[in-house]
């Protein structure tokens, strides 16, 4: 038994089996590289589900986190602290006012995860309509088929993938699901009984599926017409992943509510629910809370992430490396490949067969971490710091990885 097998045995005996048995035991990382318990090195093209924006062991993150933990690790929400205020102000500045002049007219609630950010958004929507005395008239949430908003009960109710939602019904939230990308269905669903529309700018867990151009603008129009709130879930797409700070900015759409997590903390757990304009003040004193939310260490980490993305020009380099990977995959011409989709460093290599698990395993054997997000799609969401040379290394290895996957499939 090697060191990985020993850890897997202990894992299986002590942890719930909800994740299955992970095939790799990671021990340490440096930049875009990680090492497993047996000393094998991998190029990390997945960043822990689109989280480690600055890669691993980034000096800015180490310094911010260790300085903050040495000063004050936790306060609870009964006491304020400057890193939380700095971070909120920073995010508002990035969200920009009209024409980018000044900070956005918005306010933030900090949570610890994506699902929690969406729970805050759901409560905000409910509370808004309740304050208008219209919660009975506006009971319906609209969300997309195959969408993903998290595993807690509210976020799960809005999650369109039936196989992960249905075993846990009922939820106490009336959700109308529409096919993603279908503007007419969206308009029809967002009627006068609609409280809010939850939408991902590009569906991540469904397989990095971008909607047709103009979809987010159409969602904005549908909400404006019906009076429903537009909640944009940028938990996966936000913080530079698409080459924009936030994907909705690429479409020139302003949501009513925005949710963030994943890349924001660069590996430290933090989520955010941003309410724009009047929606920033809907949740009043006592309406919501979290013991760990806006934890100073997580806030310091997020500030380091945002500062480094800006200082190192990572939006532009992420867009360039993303284009390189996209074009390289699209040009490959391997029989198992059916093309590439996505934007920035958030891509899917589309497969001609449901061979994603075999490709993921073959990539691992070749020293690359990728993700079989769907049976016929491999997701790439590397750290934003990935270099052109590292992208080239993966593209050079890809034909061999695909050949290896084909051979493994033939043998099985
Ligand atoms: N929303 C989107 C779009 C996501 O991709 C995810 C996670 O993958 C979530 C919400 C849930 O985030 P978390 O796993 O941090 O709860």
């Amino acid at each position: 038994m090697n060191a990985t097998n020993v850890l897997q045995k202990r894992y299986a005996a002590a942890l719930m089996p909800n994740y299955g048995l992970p095939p790799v035991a990671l021990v340490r990382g440096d930049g875009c590289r990680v090492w497993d318990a047996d000393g094998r090195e991998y190029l990390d093209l997945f960043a822990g589900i689109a989280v480690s924006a600055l890669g691993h062991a980034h000096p800015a993150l180490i310094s911010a986190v260790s300085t903050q933990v040495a000063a004050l690790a936790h306060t609870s929400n009964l006491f304020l602290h400057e890193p939380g205020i700095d971070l909120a102000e920073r995010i508002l500045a990035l969200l920009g006012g009209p024409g980018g002049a000044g900070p956005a007219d918005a306010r933030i609630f900090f949570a610890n995860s994506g699902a929690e950010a969406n729970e805050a958004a759901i409560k905000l929507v409910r509370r808004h309509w309740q304050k208008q005395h219209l919660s009975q008239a506006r009971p319906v949430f609209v969300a997309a088929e195959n969408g993903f908003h998290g595993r807690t009960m509210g976020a799960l109710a809005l999650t369109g993938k039936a196989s992960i939602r249905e075993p846990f019904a009922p939820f106490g939230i009336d959700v109308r699901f529409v096919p993603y990308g279908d503007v007419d269905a969206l308009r029809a669903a967002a009627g006068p009984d609609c409280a809010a529309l939850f939408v991902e700018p590009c569906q991540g867990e469904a397989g990095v599926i971008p909607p047709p151009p103009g979809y987010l603008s159409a969602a904005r129009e549908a909400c404006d017409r019906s009076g429903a709130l537009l909640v944009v879930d940028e938990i996966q797409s936000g913080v530079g992943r698409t080459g924009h700070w936030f994907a909705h900015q690429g479409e020139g759409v302003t949501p009513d509510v925005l949710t963030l997590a994943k890349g924001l903390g660069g590996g430290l757990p933090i989520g955010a629910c941003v309410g724009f304009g009047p929606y920033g003040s809907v949740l009043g004193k006592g309406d919501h809370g979290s013991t760990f939310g806006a934890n100073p260490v997580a806030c310091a980490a997020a500030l380091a992430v945002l500062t480094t993305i800006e200082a190192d020009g990572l939006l532009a380099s992420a867009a360039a490396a993303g284009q390189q990977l996209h074009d390289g995959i699209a040009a490959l011409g391997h029989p198992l490949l059916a093309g590439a989709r996505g934007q920035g460093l958030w891509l899917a290599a589309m497969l001609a067969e449901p061979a994603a698990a075999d490709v993921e395993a073959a990539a691992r054997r070749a020293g690359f971490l990728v993700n079989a997000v769907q049976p016929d799609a491999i997701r790439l969401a590397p750290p934003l710091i990935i270099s052109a040379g590292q992208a080239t290394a993966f593209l050079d290895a890809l034909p061999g990885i695909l050949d290896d996957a084909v051979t493994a499939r033939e043998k099985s």
Side-chain angles (χ1 to χ4, degrees):
M1 260 214 264
N2 61 22
T4 301
N5 300 145
V6 172
L7 288 170
Q8 284 176 320
K9 204 165 166 232
R10 287 173 56 199
Y11 181 102
L15 289 141
M16 289 192 189
N18 55 304
Y19 297 118
L21 188 59
V24 179
L26 291 177
V27 177
R28 68 184 181 92
D30 182 11
C32 291
R33 296 173 304 153
V34 288
W35 284 265
D36 73 12
D38 291 295
R40 281 209 63 194
E41 180 182 330
Y42 304 87
L43 185 63
D44 182 5
L45 298 172
F46 190 42
I49 324 186
V51 166
S52 306
L54 304 185
H56 304 278
H58 193 287
L61 206 60
I62 295 173
S63 161
V65 167
S66 31
T67 303
Q68 187 58 47
V69 87
L72 189 67
H74 176 73
T75 61
S76 87
N77 50 53
L78 300 183
F79 306 96
L80 62 79
H81 55 79
E82 198 166 2
I85 301 168
D86 285 345
L87 179 61
E89 289 173 348
R90 194 62 181 280
I91 293 171
L92 297 185
L94 294 174
L95 288 167
D105 171 18
R107 285 166 199 269
I108 302 183
F109 169 80
F110 285 118
N112 309 288
S113 68
E116 277 186 54
N118 281 337
E119 293 295 331
I122 293 165
K123 283 183 68 175
L124 188 162
V125 169
R126 277 265 170 94
R127 191 77 174 104
H128 167 70
W129 290 116
Q130 195 250 349
K131 283 183 168 178
Q132 309 291 312
H133 306 288
L134 285 170
S135 48
Q136 304 291 325
R138 294 233 183 215
V140 175
F141 286 71
V142 173
E145 287 169 10
N146 294 320
F148 188 84
H149 297 291
R151 303 281 192 157
T152 52
M153 291 303 263
L156 187 59
L158 295 165
T159 287
K161 196 174 174 198
S163 62
I164 62 173
R165 184 188 69 249
E166 278 171 0
F168 301 96
F171 301 101
I173 297 182
D174 189 358
V175 184
R176 193 174 284 150
F177 289 105
V178 292
Y180 188 65
D182 182 336
V183 172
D184 292 337
L186 201 64
R187 286 189 185 127
D193 61 350
C194 177
L197 165 64
F198 273 66
V199 67
E200 295 169 82
C202 164
Q203 285 190 318
E205 296 306 300
V208 193
I209 301 184
Y215 185 63
L216 219 49
S217 310
R220 179 70 275 175
E221 278 164 32
C223 286
D224 288 345
R225 197 173 320 145
S226 107
L229 279 73
L230 177 64
V231 183
V232 178
D233 179 340
E234 292 234 32
I235 285 160
Q236 194 158 154
S237 60
V239 195
R241 179 89 359 236
T242 64
H244 301 281
W245 276 111
F246 307 102
H248 70 267
Q249 293 173 327
E251 273 222 38
V253 167
T254 303
D256 298 313
V257 179
L258 171 72
T259 53
L260 304 171
K262 289 195 183 280
L264 181 59
L268 274 286
I270 187 165
C273 173
V274 185
F276 288 80
Y279 303 111
S281 308
V282 168
L283 291 174
K285 189 174 177 196
D287 276 342
H288 196 46
S290 160
T291 297
F292 291 118
N295 170 274
V297 180
C299 289
L303 274 167
V305 168
L306 300 179
T307 302
T308 305
I309 290 176
E310 193 153 32
D312 293 358
L314 294 183
L315 296 185
S317 62
Q323 198 66 52
Q324 182 194 351
L325 282 167
H326 180 284
D327 295 351
I329 295 166
L332 205 58
H334 190 281
L336 193 52
L337 266 184
R341 64 182 175 229
Q343 198 189 4
L345 285 172
W346 199 28
L347 301 167
M350 294 139 71
L351 304 178
E353 288 173 43
D358 298 295
V359 174
E360 184 191 285
R364 235 179 1 252
R365 287 193 288 276
F368 299 92
L369 297 185
V370 301
N371 166 244
V373 65
Q374 288 291 323
D376 61 354
I378 291 289
R379 175 169 44 174
L380 304 178
L384 305 185
I385 59 166
I386 190 171
S387 67
Q390 287 169 325
T392 302
F394 175 67
L395 291 172
D396 288 347
L398 191 52
I401 291 169
L402 296 168
D403 288 343
D404 184 16
V406 170
T407 309
R409 273 171 82 68
E410 282 165 359
K411 278 192 200 150
S412 66

